[in-house]
Amino acid sequence: MISVRNLHFAYSDNRVIFNDFNLEIKVGSLFGLIGPNGAGKSTLISLVTGLNSAQAGSIQINGKDLSLARNELLSNLSSVPQEYAFYPKLTVMQNLNFFCRLYKSINQPEQNIEDAIELTGLADYQNRAAGKLSGGLKRRLNLAIGLLNKPTLLILDEPTVGIDPQSRHFILSAIKQLNNDGTTILYTSHYMEEIERLCDTIAVIDHGKIMMSGELGNLLSNASSFQIQTQRPVAMNEIDACSFSDRININKTKLEGELDNAMQLNELIAQLQQFGHRIEEVEYGKKSLESMYFDLTERAVRE
Amino acid sequence: MINILLNILKKEFTLVLKDIHALLVLFIMPMAFILVMSLALPDTEAENDKDKPKIGLIFKQEKDSQLSASDELTKLPGFHTQKFTNKNNVREKIINDQLIAMIVVPENFIQLLQKNETIENNMEVFYSPSTPSQLRFLLMASIRQVVALWQLEKKLNEKASNSFMQQGLKDKFLGVSLVSEHEVSVAEEKVEAKQPSSVQQSVPAWLIFSMFFVVIPLSTTFIVEKQHGTLQRLKTLPIADGYFLFGKIIPYIMINLIQTILMFLVGIYLVPAAGGQALQLSDNAWLLIPMSMSISLLAISLAMLIAVRVNTTDQATTIGGVTNLLLAAVGGVMVPTYVMPEAMKNISGYSPMNWGLEGFLTVLLREGSFADIMPEMMKLLSLSAICLFFAVTSYKHLLRD
């Protein structure tokens, strides 16, 4: 669906954001793009939506180069920005009408508007001024505008920022439904639980580079890690009896590594106790996305 | 394509209509200024009229003063005539040197004269002892001409079949076509420009001032679009940049044209209804449209440049408002250039509002042609192109960063 190859982009003040950047997003996927502020997420979105042009490299959507077939490709994609990108003084319906009628490709604007209203649950608010809607309803209107052209690729930039749990649940359900109906979605968010709940594929980017990418299920299942803290240092020969000892790292009183199952953890603890070690702390289980994210991007607060 | 443009125009109009402050500034403010200033500014003609020798006019029968023929007496050339009902009041004013003479029209005088019936009482003229003989002679000549005119009209009504013929015969009898007036022109001497009346000054001046205030709705909409990410969203739609550019320019040109029509209507109808002098338009009035569009393009380009360069609506309102006030103060909007000292007149020539005002006055006052307003139009359009160039360049820079 989206193929970004050898991308190079720098702003006019010579800040280089991407240098030889590559990314693939498959058709029908719900792709989570995560990274700290300043990582390059918004710039990548601006490049994919044609708002900015790369100095080198290519962006292909459905096999067509964005720089060569911009208008054709933009007719089938839609971007929902983080801000409330509509006119607060116009009503919900006036906003939807305005944005819908900017597409030459839409033959039945009334039908598309009706579908967008239905999916986002805005039927009761059509005549209300957009600026007077609650935060949750504004987010829904923002999303509805993005659905007017029935895009095959939908780009959502933090669509649930600052809203109540009910509205968030509503929006996430709508996004899931769109994806089930075949829309490819590029989703960015700082809420890791949202990414875990929604996305099938993710990429973690930082400083314009991909730190990790792949199917979310695989990334998380490969991360059944453990950590044991003992009172006194452990010697390597003390755990030789365990068949999986080659997967364990020992750093004085701290043992860590990845295990196949909990039985192996029990075996290891029994072995350590046999040598008179007192176990002070044990951590075991799948790593959360958040934990992986922090490992990759460091915990220091960004601008 | 047209549908997309119409859609953008509809949106811009809806936003302006919902902006009550913009409507007040664009339409109500200039209307109020035109009304107040047209009535407050001293009229050159009226001022001249005040300098004329004053005479009192008394109709012994009120009915006579209502006849259209009586207008000829109230508008005696070279004199400022005031109607009175009480002869003693007039006498007092003559004694106090407030009037130089009094004309007393006896009962049914005009009617009897027009019916060619016997007139028993003559029209009487009473002079102040201090009235010079030249003025007495001039007044008598004027009165005799009016009486002759009444008699002539009576004859013509009997002989000529239509008003066209009557006018022709009247001109012939009065010798209008035999005498023509000319002023001696001296080539080396600078001829003083004709001064506009208060309404001729006020209508174009305050119209131009209000046209430049499109900066408020235009920048408010643009800054909201910029701050809310709407601009970015619009840029990700599969339509050319030209739509957005024309989508901004066309609605405000239309708003400026509506302002033009409305303000001229105020000058033509509302100002006289309020007691001022009516604005007169001649055959070249269509030139007000290209002139107005040139001013409009500059006002919009300047507004776009300000809107792109600033970050908040407060900044836009302050910068736009102060810029307009300065251009108006210098450009002869607030203080007419003809009352400015020579040095200020020269400075005023650098204000685009002055270019617009001069263009309008060329049409209204000097009955100028298209070629006559071209220099002003070219100046306005050139500056507009410069502002637009910088606005578009800044806009592209803004989207990129």
Side-chain angles (χ1 to χ4, degrees):
Chain A
M1 182 74 177
I2 300 179
S3 177
V4 179
R5 284 177 200 157
N6 312 115
L7 193 76
H8 179 90
F9 178 78
Y11 282 112
S12 55
D13 58 2
N14 294 326
R15 268 183 304 139
V16 177
I17 305 299
F18 295 115
N19 193 13
D20 200 23
F21 181 84
N22 293 282
L23 182 73
E24 295 284 332
I25 298 175
K26 288 179 186 165
V27 175
S29 67
L30 209 166
F31 192 95
L33 185 67
I34 51 177
N37 290 337
K41 302 186 301 293
S42 297
T43 306
L44 182 63
I45 289 174
S46 76
L47 289 163
V48 172
T49 54
L51 202 59
N52 274 321
S53 304
Q55 283 90 17
S58 70
I59 297 172
Q60 292 194 336
I61 300 173
N62 289 332
K64 289 180 179 170
D65 198 295
L66 182 64
S67 60
L68 300 175
R70 184 181 181 275
N71 279 4
E72 183 193 337
L73 293 173
L74 291 182
S75 295
N76 295 313
L77 77 77
S78 191
S79 170
V80 178
Q82 200 180 118
E83 301 89 355
Y84 298 130
F86 47 74
Y87 296 94
K89 284 188 178 173
L90 299 185
T91 64
V92 168
M93 188 48 106
Q94 283 172 331
N95 268 295
L96 291 170
N97 256 312
F98 169 66
F99 284 102
C100 192
R101 287 168 207 280
L102 291 177
Y103 288 95
K104 276 182 259 183
S105 55
I106 296 177
N107 296 322
Q108 292 177 300
E110 290 83 8
Q111 186 58 52
N112 289 28
I113 290 169
E114 203 179 308
D115 292 347
I117 286 175
E118 193 185 327
L119 189 71
T120 51
L122 287 169
D124 294 337
Y125 309 97
Q126 292 178 44
N127 297 318
R128 195 177 289 185
K132 291 186 176 167
L133 297 173
S134 67
L137 288 170
K138 281 179 183 167
R139 287 272 164 223
R140 285 198 242 168
L141 175 59
N142 216 20
L143 176 62
I145 293 168
L147 303 178
L148 290 167
N149 61 330
K150 296 192 181 291
T152 53
L153 171 62
L154 180 63
I155 298 167
L156 301 165
D157 191 5
E158 302 190 39
T160 59
V161 172
I163 55 171
D164 60 287
Q166 284 82 1
S167 290
R168 175 179 292 180
H169 176 76
F170 189 95
I171 288 173
L172 295 182
S173 302
I175 291 167
K176 197 74 191 167
Q177 190 189 323
L178 282 165
N179 183 240
N180 290 339
D181 293 344
T183 309
T184 306
I185 293 171
L186 171 58
Y187 189 93
T188 79
S189 177
H190 286 301
Y191 301 122
M192 296 301 149
E193 74 279 8
E194 274 185 13
I195 299 281
E196 275 195 74
R197 179 179 155 188
L198 278 179
C199 299
D200 49 43
T201 319
I202 65 154
V204 179
I205 67 167
D206 196 12
H207 302 299
K209 292 192 184 334
I210 292 192
M211 311 299 286
M212 180 179 75
S213 69
E215 287 183 22
L216 186 62
N218 287 342
L219 292 172
L220 293 177
S221 67
N222 288 338
S224 297
S225 60
F226 80 94
Q227 201 177 82
I228 297 173
Q229 189 71 44
T230 57
Q231 198 176 37
R232 60 182 174 81
V234 177
M236 193 65 205
N237 62 344
E238 290 172 341
I239 57 165
D240 275 350
C242 297
S243 58
F244 47 87
S245 62
D246 57 331
R247 283 189 269 156
I248 298 168
N249 295 320
I250 303 174
N251 184 6
K252 294 180 186 172
T253 59
K254 187 177 170 185
L255 291 85
E256 58 185 0
E258 289 181 358
L259 301 172
D260 295 334
N261 49 51
M263 295 290 285
Q264 288 182 338
L265 181 69
N266 288 339
E267 189 185 334
L268 178 62
I269 290 169
Q271 186 67 22
L272 288 169
Q273 286 172 338
Q274 204 176 324
F275 282 93
H277 286 287
R278 186 172 157 191
I279 309 296
E280 295 211 318
E281 196 180 325
V282 177
E283 276 183 24
Y284 176 74
K286 279 184 180 178
K287 259 189 169 176
S288 68
L289 181 60
E290 188 166 308
S291 158
M292 283 169 61
Y293 173 79
F294 279 134
D295 287 347
L296 289 165
T297 61
E298 301 163 353
R299 287 175 187 267
V301 176
R302 305 288 176 92
E303 282 180 4
Chain B
M1 291 207 182
I2 287 290
N3 288 341
I4 291 176
L5 197 57
L6 287 176
N7 185 35
I8 296 173
L9 298 185
K10 187 179 167 190
K11 181 262 296 178
E12 287 290 335
F13 274 118
T14 312
L15 288 173
V16 173
L17 287 174
K18 284 178 185 256
D19 189 347
I20 189 78
H21 299 108
L23 292 176
L24 283 172
V25 169
L26 292 176
F27 296 103
I28 306 301
M29 178 193 75
M31 282 167 78
F33 269 127
I34 288 170
L35 266 178
V36 172
M37 298 310 285
S38 293
L39 301 175
L41 260 184
D43 243 319
T44 323
E45 208 174 297
E47 281 294 296
N48 290 342
D49 200 43
K50 279 181 195 165
D51 295 337
K52 292 174 183 173
K54 295 177 182 66
I55 50 174
L57 179 63
I58 293 175
F59 287 94
K60 280 198 167 172
Q61 194 173 62
E62 182 59 25
K63 213 165 58 181
D64 284 343
S65 71
Q66 286 160 6
L67 294 170
S68 61
S70 72
D71 285 351
E72 309 285 351
L73 265 186
T74 55
K75 290 173 187 169
L76 278 180
F79 296 93
H80 177 77
T81 315
Q82 286 176 275
K83 278 185 194 173
F84 292 91
T85 49
N86 189 326
K87 199 173 173 180
N88 289 334
N89 285 351
V90 182
R91 187 183 156 76
E92 204 172 304
K93 281 182 187 288
I94 288 175
I95 290 167
N96 294 333
D97 277 341
Q98 289 173 296
L99 298 172
I100 61 150
M102 162 171 65
I103 304 169
V104 180
V105 183
E107 283 184 15
N108 299 325
F109 183 82
I110 301 172
Q111 284 170 300
L112 294 171
L113 194 71
Q114 286 182 331
K115 286 176 187 167
N116 214 10
E117 289 176 17
T118 315
I119 296 169
E120 289 173 3
N121 298 316
N122 284 348
M123 195 191 295
E124 293 173 298
V125 180
F126 300 89
Y127 296 107
S128 158
S130 60
T131 305
S133 57
Q134 295 93 327
L135 271 181
R136 296 179 189 210
F137 178 77
L138 187 64
L139 180 58
M140 280 310 290
S142 297
I143 294 169
R144 284 192 184 112
Q145 187 178 350
V146 170
V147 173
L149 195 68
W150 288 338
Q151 287 176 311
L152 183 62
E153 270 173 349
K154 158 81 178 60
K155 300 284 180 203
L156 290 177
N157 285 341
E158 290 166 7
K159 305 283 180 198
S161 58
N162 59 47
S163 61
F164 183 74
M165 273 179 73
Q166 284 174 22
Q167 188 59 45
L169 288 166
K170 199 194 286 182
D171 289 350
K172 197 174 175 185
F173 280 112
L174 288 175
V176 172
S177 57
L178 300 176
V179 185
S180 59
E181 288 180 288
H182 297 284
E183 275 181 38
V184 176
S185 62
V186 183
E188 291 78 15
E189 215 171 275
K190 192 180 170 187
V191 178
E192 195 61 35
K194 204 175 169 186
Q195 283 182 11
S197 66
S198 62
V199 72
Q200 281 173 328
Q201 163 70 23
S202 298
V203 171
W206 295 109
L207 166 65
I208 294 166
F209 185 60
S210 67
M211 283 168 86
F212 273 78
F213 269 95
V214 290
V215 68
I216 291 180
L218 195 149
S219 60
T220 304
T221 312
F222 187 81
I223 288 164
V224 167
E225 283 174 337
K226 196 161 68 171
Q227 286 175 339
H228 285 222
T230 318
L231 207 57
Q232 280 81 351
R233 174 171 245 164
L234 290 171
K235 277 288 290 175
T236 63
L237 300 178
I239 45 176
D241 286 345
Y243 282 104
F244 299 116
L245 189 63
F246 286 112
K248 288 286 173 207
I249 293 175
I250 294 172
Y252 290 99
I253 284 187
M254 290 168 81
I255 286 169
N256 280 159
L257 282 177
I258 294 169
Q259 284 179 299
T260 305
I261 294 165
L262 208 61
M263 297 315 139
F264 275 97
L265 288 176
V266 168
I268 294 166
Y269 297 107
L270 214 56
V271 173
Q277 195 186 44
L279 183 68
Q280 306 281 338
L281 296 183
S282 50
D283 291 345
N284 67 344
W286 67 272
L287 290 172
L288 297 172
I289 301 294
M291 199 60 229
S292 167
M293 285 180 78
S294 306
I295 298 165
S296 175
L297 276 171
L298 176 59
I300 294 164
S301 308
L302 186 64
M304 284 170 83
L305 182 59
I306 291 171
V308 174
R309 298 295 299 177
V310 302
N311 295 318
T312 64
T313 48
D314 285 346
Q315 285 174 343
T317 311
T318 309
I319 293 171
V322 170
T323 306
N324 286 356
L325 286 171
L326 282 174
L327 292 178
V330 174
V333 168
M334 292 177 171
V335 181
T337 43
Y338 59 80
V339 299
M340 286 180 180
E342 206 56 38
M344 270 310 292
K345 271 185 195 168
N346 293 335
I347 294 171
S348 116
Y350 291 101
S351 166
M353 286 198 191
N354 184 260
W355 307 339
L357 187 57
E358 280 304 310
F360 274 138
L361 290 178
T362 302
V363 177
L364 293 172
L365 194 63
R366 298 156 205 144
E367 295 183 1
S369 64
F370 191 75
D372 293 329
I373 59 168
M374 270 302 276
E376 268 69 36
M377 279 175 61
M378 287 312 294
K379 279 193 265 184
L380 289 162
L381 293 173
S382 303
L383 186 59
S384 170
I386 292 168
C387 289
L388 200 61
F389 170 78
F390 283 112
V392 171
T393 311
S394 300
Y395 170 70
K396 285 185 174 170
H397 201 269
L398 174 87
L399 285 173
R400 189 176 157 78
D401 291 346

